[in-house]
Amino acid sequence: KAAGSKYTYDDKEVILYNLGIGAKRTDLNWVFENAENFEALPTFGVIPYFNAESPFTFDEVVPNFNPMMLLHGEQYLEIKKFPIPTSGTLTSYPSLVEVADKGAAAVVVSRTETKDSTGDVVFVNESTIFIRGSGGFGGSSKITDRGAATAANKPPSRPADKVVEEKTSEDQAALYRLSGDRNPLHIDPAFSSVGGFKDPILHGLCFMGIAGKHVYQNFGKFKNIKVRFAGTVIPGQTLRTEMWKEGGKVIFQVKVVETGKLAIAAAACELVGGAAKL
Ligand code: HDC
């Protein structure tokens, strides 16, 4: 929509988001609006875009669309302007980029620019949605190279430079959904089981936020983050983020400790100024 989708928020939305990705009551900068360095965690940049009205419906772009078969496949977030505002009105402009045919599934890529009231772009989001059972329509299987948004980010063979483990709460998805993603897949077992999951699964953007927090805590500000959701996470499971600093970039991956399976792969953050503590 040319007019864009407005998202108005204040410290309440910021604190709710920070709590949703695991901030603790003792993390005053993240949970107390009067703290000297009160801030939104960097991946807050997905929230205005996520709450924007899409200019297309999945029904219009893929065959056999079933919302129960939809999974978040990949996400790229670029933060174009610092500091991230902790209140205000931001306007998002979403558009469809491409649809690919993966045989058993369709992949839908969209892009959203989010601007502040001066017209500056604050965030760019590129989102890949993986829709099982909607492929086989004879389209190309290729995804266009979009630079950092599609980079392979293969981890180096040496042991990780930094590792952080964080146990998610069993109520993580129940809390995270209040930041705008009310998809029943994350709360309603009757819905998730039709999609193939006995227990409701955690939002991809929630565990991306948790991993982004680990990168931020260890290496400082980043100007972008890209992830591939390689496996599902059930609220209550423990996430292990393994990080490698390669020049101005932190390559990372996330595993579920209880199963040893990858939850995030092909992931990286490019650091602001390339300067980072290690
Ligand atoms: O990787 C599998 C998986 O299960 N990943 C985890 C998914 C997940 O947990 N996501 C987060 C939770 S869901 C969520 O948060 C939903 C949220 O509410 C979103 C709402 C958005 C609404 C938007 C409104 C606007 C799975 C199932 C994704 C893929 O596994 P397989 O089927 O085994 O695929 P595979 O055989 O390995 O590969 C087939 C082709 O697909 C490409 N591909 C694989 N994983 C991908 C992916 N593409 C994008 N994202 C991924 N995660 C492969 O490259 C392959 O393509 P090709 O054949 O061309 O090489």
Side-chain angles (χ1 to χ4, degrees), residues 36-268:
E36 200 180 337
N37 297 310
F38 177 62
E39 62 176 359
L41 278 155
T43 50
F44 180 77
V46 301
I47 296 302
Y49 120 82
F50 199 93
N51 283 283
E53 196 186 330
S54 175
F56 63 90
T57 61
F58 289 108
D59 259 331
E60 290 165 352
V61 296
V62 300
N64 310 315
F65 175 64
N66 175 350
M68 294 177 183
M69 301 304 277
L70 177 155
L71 291 168
H72 206 150
E74 295 190 328
Q75 187 72 21
Y76 173 70
L77 162 69
E78 199 173 326
I79 304 158
K80 306 276 279 186
K81 191 174 177 182
F82 290 92
I84 294 170
T86 53
S87 65
T89 296
L90 300 174
T91 309
S92 292
Y93 301 86
S95 59
L96 178 65
V97 174
E98 63 187 338
V99 180
D101 185 348
K102 298 293 187 185
V107 157
V108 179
V109 181
S110 64
R111 180 176 201 275
T112 305
E113 286 195 350
T114 298
K115 298 181 177 181
D116 66 14
S117 57
T118 73
D120 287 347
V121 178
V122 183
F123 306 120
V124 175
N125 277 275
E126 296 184 10
S127 157
T128 301
I129 302 297
F130 192 97
I131 308 168
R132 296 166 292 160
S134 285
F137 53 88
S140 164
S141 69
K142 295 263 178 307
I143 290 291
T144 310
D145 183 342
R146 290 175 281 118
T150 48
N153 300 319
K154 193 171 177 299
S157 52
R158 69 176 187 274
D161 300 324
K162 292 276 181 184
V163 177
V164 177
E165 284 192 6
E166 177 169 343
K167 190 183 182 313
T168 61
S169 153
E170 294 194 0
D171 306 314
Q172 202 78 53
L175 180 61
Y176 182 83
R177 65 194 293 275
L178 300 180
S179 286
D181 185 348
R182 302 283 185 109
N183 186 344
L185 175 65
H186 309 296
I187 192 83
D188 180 3
F191 184 101
S192 69
S193 62
V194 178
F197 308 105
K198 186 170 69 66
D199 298 307
I201 61 174
L202 191 57
H203 303 73
L205 292 179
C206 178
F207 56 98
M208 179 184 98
I210 293 172
K213 181 181 66 173
H214 297 160
V215 174
Y216 181 56
Q217 285 173 310
N218 282 279
F219 298 97
K221 275 194 203 135
F222 50 82
K223 58 187 174 193
N224 63 34
I225 177 168
K226 181 256 170 170
V227 298
R228 169 172 278 206
F229 301 115
T232 53
V233 175
I234 299 167
Q237 286 181 323
T238 308
L239 300 175
R240 175 184 167 91
T241 307
E242 300 171 338
M243 297 166 267
W244 292 262
K245 186 168 182 295
E246 291 281 286
K249 186 167 169 175
V250 176
I251 293 177
F252 66 95
Q253 65 182 21
V254 176
K255 283 182 179 155
V256 174
V257 170
E258 288 79 3
T259 62
K261 290 189 182 154
L262 270 178
I264 288 179

